[in-house]
Amino acid sequence: MPSLPPWFEQLSPVLQSLLAGGFTWGVTALGASVVFFTRRVNQRLLDAMMGFAAGVMIAASFWSLLAPSIDMAAAQGITEWVPPTIGFLLGGVFLRLSDALLPHLHPGARRADAEGPTTSWRRATLLVLAITLHNIPEGLAVGVTFGAAAIELEVATGATLAGALALALGIGLQNFPEGIAVAMPLRGEGLSRGRSFWYGQLSGIVEPLSAVAGALAVVGVRPLLPYALSFAAGAMIYVVVEELIPESQRHGNTDLATLGVMGGFAVMMVLDVALG
């Protein structure tokens, strides 16, 4: 395992989470910046990238979140399957309720297909809200993994700082196509490059905020750790099944998108095992 910079290891888990969340937000902005160079992105490529993002999130949900949750429950003397199951289901319920209560529009969908309460909000706002809503569990995942590493349960649970960094890197990789998926449709509808970029990067701003919230929660209340990790996993799996996989296959590129899922899963698995 490669050594980490000493200055980073000496930071509090909250600051580590803030920096990691800032990185994932930055990659979202990098994806959105594609709008400055082209008006259209090859749909087959974008579908493969969305599939890749889904694969990364599936792998991260197990290797970085559920597996440590199971180990932490055992270390705390709790029945191993109870916290992961409760947290996982609550994560899905949280996203379902959020979908029902917040107006939003998935990338590629028509304005008439907006979900949640009826509203007169503009399409751009609804697109940003959809991605922002689904970025919350990614930020939480980053924060709780840094919090877990700080509690020094590494020997018993496998929660390490390098593993938390691997998760942040994986989430950053899958944020690139998300930035594109918001910015490019807006550019195609006639918005300026600057405004399309602004809305695209804005969808990722919630990640450093939710990362800090996740770190604060688990460091302050240590028994929450196995529940918090599995909560983030459940929320991420909900996003994958409800949004990423359907969106990646919406245009008929099913096989390509599926290969993207396989590739994303493999990359995240390697990152987590090699670094964590």
Side-chain angles (χ1 to χ4, degrees), residues 43-78:
Q43 190 60 54
R44 286 173 55 83
L45 174 61
L46 186 56
D47 288 345
M49 293 173 70
M50 294 296 285
F52 180 90
V56 167
M57 291 180 70
I58 294 171
S61 295
F62 176 74
W63 296 100
S64 298
L65 299 169
L66 285 174
S69 174
I70 294 169
D71 292 338
M72 288 178 183
Q76 293 178 10
I78 307 171

Side-chain angles (χ1 to χ4, degrees), residues 25-158:
W25 174 23
V27 180
T28 303
L30 186 63
S33 71
V34 171
V35 78
F36 289 112
F37 307 103
T38 181
R39 195 180 183 91
R40 302 181 65 88
V41 173
N42 182 277
Q43 190 60 54
R44 286 173 55 83
L45 174 61
L46 186 56
D47 288 345
M49 293 173 70
M50 294 296 285
F52 180 90
V56 167
M57 291 180 70
I58 294 171
S61 295
F62 176 74
W63 296 100
S64 298
L65 299 169
L66 285 174
S69 174
I70 294 169
D71 292 338
M72 288 178 183
Q76 293 178 10
I78 307 171
T79 303
E80 294 180 8
W81 57 266
V82 171
T85 302
I86 292 175
F88 183 83
L89 294 176
L90 286 177
V93 169
F94 169 77
L95 259 293
R96 178 64 190 95
L97 290 176
S98 300
D99 273 353
L101 296 174
L102 184 67
H104 61 284
L105 180 67
H106 295 300
R110 299 174 302 169
R111 175 63 179 81
D113 296 328
E115 299 179 13
T118 303
T119 179
S120 60
W121 292 351
R122 298 177 60 184
R123 175 182 174 84
T125 303
L126 294 174
L127 280 170
V128 172
L129 284 175
I131 302 298
T132 299
L133 173 64
H134 292 166
N135 278 342
I136 292 175
E138 297 172 15
L140 286 174
V142 170
V144 296
T145 52
F146 277 101
I151 292 177
E152 297 180 351
L153 291 175
E154 293 91 342
V155 175
T157 68

Side-chain angles (χ1 to χ4, degrees), residues 164-243:
L165 287 171
L167 175 63
L169 178 59
I171 288 178
L173 289 174
Q174 65 91 35
N175 275 357
F176 186 81
E178 288 188 359
I180 296 175
V182 176
M184 295 306 298
L186 296 177
R187 177 60 179 155
E189 291 178 6
L191 269 69
S192 67
R193 288 186 173 89
R195 292 185 66 192
S196 299
F197 168 76
W198 171 254
Y199 284 122
Q201 65 81 32
L202 191 63
S203 66
I205 195 172
V206 72
E207 293 203 7
L209 301 177
S210 54
V212 168
L216 286 171
V218 299
V219 170
V221 188
R222 296 188 180 192
L224 283 178
L225 260 176
Y227 298 93
L229 287 164
S230 55
F231 179 93
M236 285 172 54
I237 291 296
Y238 185 95
V239 171
V240 168
V241 177
E242 195 258 352
E243 178 186 346

